[in-house]
Amino acid sequence: ETTLKKLAAILWKEGIPLCVGRSYGLLGYWRNVVPELPIVESKPEFFNEDHRLTSPFPELVEFAAKFDFSTITDSMQHSHVPYFVILVQTVLEWKKQYGEGSLPSTSEEKQAFKKACAAKAIIQSPLEENFAEAVEKARFAWATEFVPSNVHRIFSSPLCCSLSHTSSPFWIIARALKDFVENEGGGHLPLSGQIPDMHADTDSYLELQKLFLAKAHAEWAIVTQRVHALLSQLGLPVDSIDAATVKFHCRYAGHLQVILCRSIEEEYSKHSAAEWGF
């Protein structure tokens, strides 16, 4: 035990993982001793991705403006307009009527917004599938929280706010993401470049997909520039974090998790033992 604690303390200080294994006949014990475990692609069970529907970017507004429901008389074409277009147009109409910063907030306003989406459909009963999707996904058009709580915790961590030359790439990229959200992102994380499946014609869907991917690449480039600037400030080589790593973190920015672990010394301390009732 004494040797383990000494070895663990040395490796912990250097940030080197230590694997401790013990066998008791058919039973075993395995302990990974690491200061922290950053997880980028955490695969959350429930995740609502932000596609900027509450504050659409210029390229998305321009794409949505191509569809004039008053002139689309073909029912097949009408029923294959992506629901993103329906929501964006309704959001812009709402803001024009009630003010630029206005979004549905009360139950009555949210119902009115959904009715405004459905009113654009040619066939009301049953509602065209793309308009039914718009009504179902309308909650994304009045969302006010764009950064998940797990990412908020990372951004507020001292390890993110106070970088040093010993900071890991994870925390340097996290700080760059935080700075992006507070500046160029306007409160939003970088786009992932992905869009969900939806009822739409192939050409419109592919154009929408390319639009989001192009916007995502532009935002990833901004975050990469911020990472390079931070590395320079810390006196670290600019190429010590490559663009592919930054891109990966940006793509899954909303999934970021970090598990802060206790050292062997902390586990053997009286304070730690008291927490477990020993």
Side-chain angles (χ1 to χ4, degrees):
E1 181 179 310
T2 302
T3 303
L4 173 61
K5 289 170 68 175
K6 288 182 178 179
L7 176 61
I10 295 171
L11 296 179
W12 182 273
K13 184 178 179 181
E14 298 298 325
I16 301 173
L18 170 64
C19 298
V20 181
R22 290 177 179 173
S23 176
Y24 305 95
L26 296 177
L27 298 178
Y29 164 89
W30 188 266
R31 167 77 156 87
N32 294 319
V33 186
V34 290
E36 63 184 33
L37 180 62
I39 306 171
V40 180
E41 193 178 359
S42 60
K43 300 184 184 298
E45 185 176 357
F46 300 104
F47 179 72
N48 293 322
E49 186 170 348
D50 173 24
H51 290 100
R52 312 282 174 82
L53 298 180
T54 57
S55 51
F57 48 93
E59 298 88 342
L60 181 55
V61 172
E62 184 179 347
F63 175 80
K66 294 180 181 180
F67 300 85
D68 185 353
F69 290 109
S70 64
T71 61
I72 302 176
T73 56
D74 182 82
S75 60
M76 181 64 70
Q77 183 183 358
H78 199 273
S79 64
H80 283 77
V81 174
Y83 80 80
F84 272 24
V85 171
I86 302 168
L87 290 179
V88 167
Q89 287 194 7
T90 308
V91 164
L92 295 177
E93 291 166 2
W94 185 278
K95 289 183 176 182
K96 184 177 180 180
Q97 182 175 356
Y98 298 105
E100 181 59 34
S102 177
L103 288 172
S105 57
T106 66
S107 178
E108 292 76 12
E109 288 176 343
K110 292 174 181 179
Q111 287 301 318
F113 183 92
K114 290 181 179 181
K115 288 180 180 178
C117 290
K120 294 179 172 63
I122 293 177
I123 303 172
Q124 292 289 323
S125 183
L127 197 62
E128 293 171 86
E129 190 169 344
N130 54 336
F131 287 89
E133 283 181 332
V135 171
E136 180 188 353
K137 307 291 186 182
R139 65 186 184 278
F140 296 118
W142 56 69
T144 56
E145 293 293 332
F146 308 115
V147 179
S149 58
N150 54 293
V151 181
H152 266 303
R153 286 193 293 271
I154 291 173
F155 286 173
S156 60
S157 169
L159 294 171
C160 180
C161 299
S162 302
L163 298 177
S164 71
H165 68 281
T166 60
S167 296
S168 68
F170 176 86
W171 289 110
I172 294 173
I173 296 174
R175 174 58 182 274
L177 287 169
K178 179 178 184 291
D179 291 344
F180 172 87
V181 170
E182 294 175 351
N183 293 278
E184 298 90 350
H188 299 265
L189 290 167
L191 289 167
S192 70
Q194 300 173 317
I195 59 174
D197 292 335
M198 62 185 74
H199 196 71
D201 64 275
T202 302
D203 290 342
S204 296
Y205 185 85
L206 290 177
E207 185 177 354
L208 187 62
Q209 192 174 48
K210 290 178 181 177
L211 183 154
F212 270 87
L213 187 59
K215 182 65 174 177
H217 276 292
E219 294 184 345
W220 299 345
I222 294 172
V223 177
T224 302
Q225 290 173 357
R226 286 193 167 277
V227 168
H228 290 167
L230 288 170
L231 289 171
S232 295
Q233 292 171 18
L234 297 170
L236 299 171
V238 173
D239 59 357
S240 59
I241 301 178
D242 59 35
T245 301
V246 178
K247 173 184 173 181
F248 184 66
H249 283 69
C250 288
R251 188 173 183 181
Y252 297 102
H255 298 204
L256 297 180
Q257 296 271 7
V258 63
I259 301 173
L260 298 178
C261 307
R262 293 188 298 181
S263 65
I264 290 290
E265 184 178 356
E266 288 173 319
E267 287 189 5
Y268 279 95
S269 70
K270 292 182 179 179
H271 176 72
S272 180
E275 289 180 354
W276 290 93
F278 297 112

